[in-house]
Amino acid sequence: MEAADEEKAGNGHAEGPAAAEKRGGGGRLRGCRGFLRRNALVVLTVSGVVAGVALGAAVRGAALGPAQVAYLAFPGELLLRMLRMVILPLVVCSLVSGAASLDTRSLGRLGGIAVAYFLGTTLLASGLAVALGFIVRPGAGASALNAPALGLPGAMPPSKETVDSFLDLVRNLFPANLVAAAFRTYATEYKMLLRNTTSGNLTWEKIPVGKEIEGMNILGLVLFALVLGVALKKLGQEGEDLIRFFNSFNEATMVLVSWIMWYVPIGIMFLVGSKIVEMEDIMLLVTSLGKYMFASILGHFIHGGIVLPLIYFACTRQNPYRFLLGLITPLATAFATCSSSATLPSMIKCIEENNGVDKRISRFILPIGATVNMDGAAIFQCMAAVFIAQLNNVDLNPGQIFTILVTATASSVGAAGVPAGGVLTIAIILEAIGLPTNDLSLILAVDWIVDRTTTVVNVEGDALGAGILNYLNEKERKDKEQELKEVNVEAVANSKSEGETSPLVTHKNQVSNTTSPADPESKESVL
């Protein structure tokens, strides 16, 4: 019996390490499965980008016609249409519910911090782009470049006067028709009239004419939603029902967004693949405009990879790259769609679920940031202005540089959050500093490449701004709770000391003691 027991014990000791190794392998497998389950959307999105590049490279040699390329891009077009479908309810409902959930003091404080952050980061981005433009000199020695040599169309969108551009920005803040603002925006065009002068000569005069063009007036909708949320908050009890309606509408929209997100990897794959197939002669563009592309993407990398994380770290003392790790899906969506507005639904979902940002903060600040915070666009526009100036052998003086910085910061506010939306605002900067706009076709030739990193930096700036505001809001709430606890502790201590020293309280205690049921004689004497 003892030998058998020893043999069993020996076998048990012999099987121990193997069993432990088996259990360790099973634990690692379960951990891997858990990681994939938690980050399935991120893995699928990154895989979609890689698969899109492979698909485009494989199909590129098939010499597809425009119709076949359109068919190839159809699944990606569906993704863009679905994302744009939820922009209107998401922006309006999230801003109304966000403004109504914050008290007026918090709304003003957070709004002031947000405006300061947006303006500060955009100015930094513009200054960085101008400095890089003078260091790299992307337009030096490229004066022989022209649109026909690269096979590019010479026709450009009509330029606008700088004053009319800013007046249009203010007009769009106050739409005349709120329903029409959902799909139309105001823009100034020009009509040439032949007039007689006093000397009898005939001259052409350019007359500004207002016109409604296709495109959502997101600025007007944002301002209206904010004011409506504040008004509902002021109504008090009477506005509660409408606030609950917008909250429910917002939550339902987020459910739709969560469903759409699972289609994102498929749509991204076909968007990237079709764009690669559309390229005609990428080597000619890279060799001709390579320095401009390098300078722009380098500016985006420095601002998005160093400057913005440093600002986040300085404000929160937290790791910014861990914060950005939870936003891989919206950043990949921004890279594929080139649209800040289309990235907004996935950004709100991921920043709340992965990074724990308060819903009141994210749904208040992200829609505003997607409209007015365009750090990447500011870099792109300033670099393009410096590039075109060097292309035309124009030395920029300090006054023109200051004009570029201010105009780029202001015009990026009104830049449309759609693909190639920033190209039109470059014309404003060129007009402001007196440069020709006929070279903008060169910018359009590589815009589809640079616009991807532009959009990534745009949405990254919005996300880090929301993270900073969330940290400051949480810090203020904890400070208030600590002050309240200290006040309560002091109140309890004061009441005890008062009970020991006050003769009135002592007298009451004595009366209560004398009238206790344990002393019936004193009770009778009182009676």
Side-chain angles (χ1 to χ4, degrees):
M1 288 293 292
E2 291 179 0
D5 291 340
E6 289 177 1
E7 185 178 354
K8 286 182 181 180
N11 291 339
H13 285 298
E15 294 175 0
E21 185 178 353
K22 187 176 181 181
R23 284 196 300 271
R28 284 193 294 270
L29 184 60
R30 283 193 297 271
C32 184
R33 287 177 180 172
F35 174 81
L36 290 177
R37 191 180 297 113
R38 289 190 305 271
N39 301 280
L41 192 57
V42 175
V43 174
L44 289 174
T45 304
V46 175
S47 302
V49 175
V50 175
V53 173
L55 175 66
V59 179
R60 186 171 168 77
L64 298 181
Q68 286 79 17
V69 173
Y71 298 150
L72 181 65
F74 177 71
E77 181 188 354
L78 286 183
L79 173 64
L80 288 175
R81 295 177 73 89
M82 285 189 288
L83 290 174
R84 288 169 182 162
M85 174 184 66
V86 297
I87 288 173
L88 178 62
L90 189 64
V91 168
V92 174
C93 296
S94 63
L95 281 175
V96 170
S97 59
S101 64
L102 297 169
D103 60 272
T104 309
R105 178 177 169 275
S106 297
L107 187 65
R109 189 180 66 87
L110 292 175
I113 295 174
V115 169
Y117 170 81
F118 291 156
L119 289 178
T121 55
T122 306
L123 269 175
L124 281 174
S126 302
L128 172 66
V130 171
L132 276 178
F134 281 105
I135 293 171
V136 179
R137 298 188 61 80
S143 56
L145 280 178
N146 53 52
L150 295 175
L152 302 172
M156 285 304 305
S159 60
K160 284 199 300 187
E161 298 290 338
T162 306
V163 175
D164 290 326
S165 300
F166 288 112
L167 290 179
D168 286 349
L169 183 66
V170 178
R171 290 187 185 105
N172 283 320
L173 282 172
F174 305 97
N177 188 331
L178 196 62
V179 177
F183 52 87
R184 299 189 75 83
T185 187
Y186 185 93
T188 297
E189 294 184 351
Y190 297 98
K191 183 170 62 174
M192 303 301 293
L193 292 180
L194 191 63
R195 291 188 179 274
N196 283 320
T197 61
T198 54
S199 59
N201 296 326
L202 294 175
T203 59
W204 289 99
E205 186 176 353
K206 188 164 65 170
I207 307 297
V209 178
K211 184 181 179 182
E212 298 285 338
I213 61 173
E214 287 292 329
M216 185 186 301
N217 181 6
I218 194 75
L219 280 175
L221 294 174
V222 163
L223 182 63
F224 173 78
L226 281 174
V227 175
L228 180 61
V230 174
L232 290 175
K233 181 75 172 179
K234 289 288 185 185
L235 282 177
Q237 191 64 34
E238 295 179 1
E240 288 295 329
D241 292 338
L242 198 52
I243 292 174
R244 281 197 293 270
F245 165 77
F246 280 110
N247 286 336
S248 301
F249 203 154
N250 196 19
E251 294 298 332
T253 306
M254 292 306 297
V255 172
L256 292 177
V257 169
S258 66
W259 293 345
I260 294 173
M261 291 302 296
W262 289 104
Y263 181 73
V264 166
I266 300 173
I268 283 179
M269 179 177 72
F270 286 96
L271 275 176
V272 174
S274 62
K275 187 58 68 175
I276 290 177
V277 173
E278 281 180 7
M279 294 186 302
E280 294 182 0
D281 193 349
I282 188 170
M283 291 308 298
L284 178 61
L285 287 179
V286 168
T287 53
S288 303
L289 300 169
K291 284 182 73 176
Y292 165 72
M293 288 190 295
F294 168 74
S296 299
I297 295 173
L298 178 63
H300 291 148
F301 177 78
I302 293 174
H303 189 74
I306 299 174
V307 177
L308 288 177
L310 277 178
I311 294 174
Y312 179 85
F313 177 76
C315 294
T316 65
R317 293 296 187 272
Q318 295 176 359
N319 188 348
Y321 301 104
R322 183 178 299 170
F323 184 89
L324 292 174
L325 198 60
L327 305 175
I328 292 179
T329 297
L331 293 179
T333 305
F335 182 83
T337 61
C338 298
S339 173
S340 302
S341 300
T343 311
L344 180 61
S346 62
M347 178 61 75
I348 291 178
K349 180 177 183 296
C350 291
I351 204 171
E352 290 174 0
E353 294 181 359
N354 298 342
N355 293 335
V357 173
D358 191 347
K359 291 182 179 180
R360 296 175 300 173
I361 302 295
S362 63
R363 299 181 188 186
F364 166 71
I365 206 65
L366 287 178
I368 299 176
T371 309
V372 303
N373 186 35
M374 300 286 179
D375 293 356
I379 293 174
F380 162 64
Q381 292 160 13
C382 290
M383 187 65 69
V386 174
F387 168 71
I388 291 176
Q390 294 173 354
L391 199 66
N392 291 276
N393 297 317
V394 175
D395 292 327
L396 296 174
N397 56 46
Q400 289 175 314
I401 294 173
F402 178 77
T403 304
I404 289 175
L405 295 178
V406 175
T407 310
T409 302
S411 61
S412 65
V413 172
V418 296
V423 173
L424 300 178
T425 60
I426 299 177
I428 303 173
I429 303 174
L430 296 179
E431 290 283 347
I433 60 176
L435 287 177
T437 58
N438 54 354
D439 290 324
L440 272 178
S441 55
L442 298 174
I443 305 299
L444 280 172
V446 294
D447 176 67
W448 67 272
I449 299 176
V450 180
D451 199 20
R452 300 183 184 278
T453 54
T454 298
T455 310
V456 170
V457 175
N458 287 343
V459 300
E460 180 194 353
D462 301 341
L464 291 175
I468 291 172
L469 284 177
N470 183 69
Y471 172 81
L472 296 177
N473 189 57
E474 288 291 321
K475 183 180 179 183
E476 185 186 24
R477 183 180 60 82
K478 290 178 181 178
D479 291 343
K480 284 183 178 180
E481 290 178 355
Q482 184 65 28
E483 290 177 4
L484 189 60
K485 286 180 182 178
E486 290 176 358
V487 169
N488 289 336
V489 169
E490 290 176 2
V492 172
N494 289 335
S495 65
K496 287 182 179 180
S497 61
E498 187 180 359
E500 293 170 358
T501 58
S502 173
L504 182 62
V505 176
T506 306
H507 178 68
K508 285 184 178 180
N509 290 339
Q510 291 171 352
V511 171
S512 63
N513 290 336
T514 55
T515 57
S516 62
D519 193 358
E521 294 181 3
S522 62
K523 188 182 291 186
E524 290 176 3
S525 64
V526 171
L527 290 175

